[in-house]
Amino acid sequence: MILATFIQAIAQILSMVINIYIWVVIIAALITWVNPDPGNPIVQILRRLTEPVYAFIRRYIPTTVGGIDLSPIIVILGLQFLNLFLVKILFNLASSLG
């Protein structure tokens, strides 16, 4: 019962972290449309949080189509997949243990 509760808590926290990062990606993508000041601390934080993931995706998948970078969409789709697949598996595992 304790293990089931622990796994369920991990699944819930993982789901929250995924959702927060999805919002970070959305906000970072929206901010790029207005050409922000690169010295702004918020812009710097958003770039530090998103650019490593974008660079990883760009290394394996061509993401620029017609001058538009599709990396944020690919990241969001991947995170949604993890949220729907991995988190659900953890919740099912917890319910089978409890």
Side-chain angles (χ1 to χ4, degrees), residues 3-86:
L3 182 60
T5 306
F6 179 73
I7 292 173
Q8 190 173 13
I10 288 178
Q12 186 68 34
I13 290 170
L14 181 62
S15 178
M16 287 175 14
V17 168
I18 289 171
N19 285 323
I20 289 169
Y21 194 74
I22 286 172
W23 280 107
V24 166
V25 170
I26 291 169
I27 292 167
L30 290 175
I31 283 181
T32 61
W33 290 356
V34 296
N35 198 12
D37 174 27
N40 186 324
I42 294 173
V43 173
Q44 289 177 358
I45 289 171
L46 289 172
R47 286 198 175 142
R48 281 191 207 127
L49 289 173
T50 57
E51 280 303 319
V53 178
Y54 294 165
F56 177 78
I57 290 173
R58 289 178 191 132
R59 192 174 336 152
Y60 298 105
I61 302 171
T63 59
T64 305
V65 176
I68 298 174
D69 186 18
L70 300 177
S71 334
I73 294 172
I74 295 169
V75 170
I76 290 171
L77 289 174
L79 290 171
Q80 284 289 41
F81 175 79
L82 283 177
N83 205 11
L84 294 172
F85 181 73
L86 183 61

